[in-house]
């Protein structure tokens, strides 16, 4: 169940972060509400995931996958095109998460 909570935390954080741009510096009401509620839900579900996941592992997944997903949304929704170094860096982040999940003894399998 901890990975379900972690997945919910990642999704909520990605939605909140992606809505920051739409909030136009908190001048638009509904996108601003999405930001506040999204971050609240993200942190709450992250705390639920931390019941059984080590904080470093949970945070690596949360931050790493969040970065990649927000970049993807930035590309699809806002037309923000990452350059080659950015794509390579994102690939390394994904690789790091895969290595942790596949080979680390501190990550529950």
């Amino acid at each position: 169940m901890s990975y379900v909570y972690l997945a919910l935390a990642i999704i909520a954080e990605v939605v909140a972060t992606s809505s920051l741009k739409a909030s136009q510096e908190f001048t638009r009401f509904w996108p601003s509400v999405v930001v506040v509620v999204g971050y609240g839900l993200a942190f709450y579900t992250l705390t639920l995931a931390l019941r059984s996941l080590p904080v470093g592992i949970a945070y690596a997944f949360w931050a790493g996958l969040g970065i990649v997903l927000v970049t993807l949304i930035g590309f699809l929704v806002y037309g923000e095109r990452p350059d080659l170094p950015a794509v390579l860096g994102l690939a390394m982040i994904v690789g790091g998460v895969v290595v942790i999940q596949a080979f680390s003894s501190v990550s529950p399998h």
Side-chain angles (χ1 to χ4, degrees):
M1 193 66 183
S2 58
Y3 279 107
V4 172
Y5 290 132
L6 184 56
L8 292 173
I10 292 168
I11 292 166
E13 186 268 335
V14 166
V15 169
T17 301
S18 300
S19 297
L20 276 171
K21 189 165 190 163
S23 78
Q24 295 179 357
E25 300 172 6
F26 291 100
T27 60
R28 296 183 61 218
F29 181 75
W30 289 113
S32 300
V33 169
V34 171
V35 170
V36 172
V37 171
Y39 281 128
L41 183 61
F43 284 110
Y44 176 70
T45 52
L46 182 60
T47 63
L48 296 177
L50 292 177
R51 289 178 178 168
S52 59
L53 292 175
V55 68
I57 300 303
Y59 190 71
F61 277 72
W62 187 58
L65 295 177
I67 289 167
V68 171
L69 292 172
V70 167
T71 302
L72 181 62
I73 288 173
F75 176 73
L76 295 174
V77 175
Y78 298 113
E80 300 170 348
R81 192 173 191 94
D83 59 8
L84 182 60
V87 171
L88 292 174
L90 291 167
M92 286 189 271
I93 291 169
V94 171
V97 170
V98 169
V99 166
I100 290 170
Q101 179 60 28
F103 302 110
S104 176
S105 63
V106 297
S107 179
H109 295 99

